[in-house]
């Protein structure tokens, strides 16, 4: 239940960051910083940081997003990176702590849970723990978030679509209408939790898994950076995260494609590496990108680029990434 409480408080924290005007990645940056601050090992990977964020805040963030956020912390001097691993920086400047704000939100959410627990008790339904009551509220919001946000009547869902038994479903609906929304204290807490839940689903594509039946004739075209990552040319973490995202999209019924010009751009990029990796002088002219690090760290030869160039279409085809705009290999 402790992990669940942290996750519920995180929803409201996300909404607070959104109201402050943070960009997409900026919404998650404080959670990553807070989680890696608690890592006790001398060094860690992006995958380790992803697990720490999930354990500390109940947020499941894609590995490539965590890696980008770690790069931000590295540029700030909070971390340093060596050979693909991250180390605490001796001169790091800590950012604002979220512990105080989290505690304030948890207290408000716990007060709402206690109010629901007391309301349920008067209706003849007992919750042994306020956190159990809070989890029931969250389940109801997850099922009905769009209707509640728009102020529409809560729809009648089939039992297969509901997370709660019918009695608890009706109980939460009545509590929200009769107690939470009219209350000056509870209404802001409920609203922050609801909007944070919707924001999390939108940012992390939580609703995509249930959206497959709604997508028909949807084609998603990859840009060059995603295609490079999907082919494993910017590291294993980026490759895994990209493949997971594309697999999720395919599960919705989407067709994953790439424009001819995108593949042409990939060919030209790899041709540059093919021409410059042979000499030390040539390697020094390459921009310090993830693609450069991939080839340099593996001591790749021009033949490696030639192989990547000739196999790119074949590899993508074997992964099922091509749609109707398939170029000739």
């Amino acid at each position: 239940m402790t992990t669940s409480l942290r996750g519920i408080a995180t929803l409201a924290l996300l909404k607070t960051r959104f109201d402050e005007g943070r960009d997409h990645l900026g919404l998650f940056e404080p959670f990553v910083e807070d989680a890696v601050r608690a890592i006790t090992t001398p060094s860690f990977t992006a995958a380790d940081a992803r697990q720490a964020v999930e354990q500390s805040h109940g947020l499941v963030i894609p590995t490539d997003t965590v890696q980008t956020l770690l790069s931000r912390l590295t540029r700030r001097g909070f971390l340093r990176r060596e050979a693909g691993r991250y180390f605490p920086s001796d001169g790091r400047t800590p950012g604002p702590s979220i512990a105080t704000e989290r505690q304030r939100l948890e207290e408000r959410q716990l007060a709402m849970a206690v109010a629901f627990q007391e309301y349920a008790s008067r209706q003849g339904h007992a919750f042994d723990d306020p956190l159990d009551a809070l989890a029931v509220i969250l389940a109801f919001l997850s099922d009905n978030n769009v209707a509640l946000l728009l102020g529409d009547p809560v729809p009648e869902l089939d039992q297969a679509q509901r997370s709660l038994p019918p009695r608890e479903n009706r109980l939460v609906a009545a509590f929200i209408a009769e107690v939470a929304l009219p209350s000056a204290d509870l209404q802001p807490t409920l609203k922050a939790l609801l909007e944070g839940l919707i924001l999390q689903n939108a940012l992390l594509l939580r609703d995509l898994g249930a959206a497959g039946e709604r997508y028909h004739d949807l084609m998603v075209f990859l840009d060059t950076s995603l295609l490079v990552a999907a082919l494993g040319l910017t590291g294993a973490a980026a490759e895994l995260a990209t493949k997971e995202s594309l697999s999720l999209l395919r599960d919705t019924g989407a067709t994953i494609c790439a424009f001819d010009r995108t593949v042409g751009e990939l060919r030209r990029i790899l041709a540059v590496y093919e021409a410059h990796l042979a000499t030390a002088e040539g390697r020094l002219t390459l921009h310090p990108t993830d693609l450069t690090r991939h080839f340099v760290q593996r001591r790749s030869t021009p033949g490696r680029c030639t192989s990547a160039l000739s196999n790119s279409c074949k590899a993508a085809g074997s992964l099922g990434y091509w749609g109707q705009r398939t170029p000739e290999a």
Side-chain angles (χ1 to χ4, degrees):
M1 293 307 300
T2 303
T3 300
S4 299
L5 181 59
R6 288 175 178 172
I8 295 172
T10 296
L11 297 177
L13 284 168
L14 275 175
K15 177 58 170 55
T16 301
R17 297 290 179 271
F18 182 78
D19 290 341
E20 292 172 354
R22 305 289 185 96
D23 63 13
H24 184 156
L25 290 176
L27 295 174
F28 297 113
E29 188 171 347
F31 301 104
V32 175
E33 178 179 332
D34 184 72
V36 301
R37 195 191 303 273
I39 293 178
T40 57
T41 56
S43 67
F44 56 89
T45 65
D48 297 330
R50 179 181 184 270
Q51 184 177 8
V53 173
E54 182 177 357
Q55 291 176 344
S56 299
H57 301 290
L59 273 175
V60 182
I61 305 176
T63 304
D64 59 340
T65 303
V66 173
Q67 195 163 26
T68 302
L69 291 168
L70 293 175
S71 297
R72 284 191 175 190
L73 295 177
T74 301
R75 289 195 297 271
R76 272 179 40 196
F78 186 78
L79 300 171
R80 58 184 175 86
R81 182 182 179 185
E82 295 179 11
R85 298 187 67 85
Y86 296 89
F87 300 78
S89 174
D90 295 334
R92 63 181 179 178
T93 54
S97 173
I98 63 175
T100 301
E101 187 177 4
R102 172 181 293 283
Q103 182 178 359
R104 177 179 59 83
L105 290 170
E106 287 178 351
E107 289 173 353
R108 291 185 176 183
Q109 290 174 349
L110 190 60
M112 182 174 66
V114 170
F116 177 50
Q117 184 183 30
E118 294 172 351
Y119 177 86
S121 178
R122 292 194 296 271
Q123 307 302 319
H125 188 93
F127 289 104
D128 295 332
D129 191 320
L131 295 184
D132 294 336
L134 186 59
V136 169
I137 293 175
L138 182 62
F140 181 86
L141 296 182
S142 298
D143 289 342
N144 303 282
N145 54 75
V146 175
L148 290 169
L149 184 67
L150 297 177
D152 294 338
V154 174
E156 288 292 334
L157 299 177
D158 295 334
Q159 183 57 44
Q161 298 174 288
R162 285 198 300 254
S163 303
L164 299 173
R167 185 182 182 189
E168 289 189 349
N169 195 72
R170 291 192 297 268
L171 196 61
V172 182
F175 169 76
I176 290 176
E178 298 173 13
V179 179
L181 291 180
S183 169
D185 294 327
L186 299 182
Q187 191 266 355
T189 302
L190 180 69
K191 182 180 178 182
L193 182 57
L194 171 64
E195 294 179 354
L197 177 66
I198 294 174
L199 183 61
Q200 175 191 243
N201 291 343
L203 292 173
L204 300 179
L205 306 180
R206 290 288 180 85
D207 288 336
L208 273 180
E213 296 181 358
R214 299 199 303 268
Y215 287 172
H216 301 284
D217 299 323
L218 174 66
M219 301 179 71
V220 178
F221 288 85
L222 306 186
D223 64 9
T224 305
S225 60
L226 282 174
L227 188 56
V228 168
L231 295 175
L233 299 179
T234 53
E239 179 184 8
L240 176 62
T242 304
K243 286 180 178 179
E244 288 177 348
S245 299
L246 296 178
S247 176
L248 182 59
L249 281 168
R250 283 200 303 273
D251 289 343
T252 70
T255 301
I256 310 301
C257 313
F259 287 113
D260 294 348
R261 67 180 63 182
T262 305
V263 179
E265 182 179 8
L266 175 60
R267 291 177 181 274
R268 292 190 294 274
I269 291 172
L270 292 175
V272 169
Y273 284 92
E274 184 179 12
H276 289 79
L277 280 176
T279 64
E281 293 79 4
R283 290 192 292 272
L284 290 174
T285 64
L286 298 172
H287 294 292
T289 64
D290 288 338
L291 187 57
T292 299
R293 283 189 286 270
H294 172 79
F295 285 125
V296 172
Q297 289 175 356
R298 287 160 180 75
R299 304 180 185 274
S300 298
T301 63
R304 163 68 172 162
C305 293
T306 302
S307 176
L309 186 60
S310 62
N311 293 332
S312 59
C313 292
K314 179 180 178 182
S318 69
L319 295 172
Y321 289 165
W322 295 127
Q324 299 172 357
R325 299 283 296 177
T326 305
E328 293 298 327

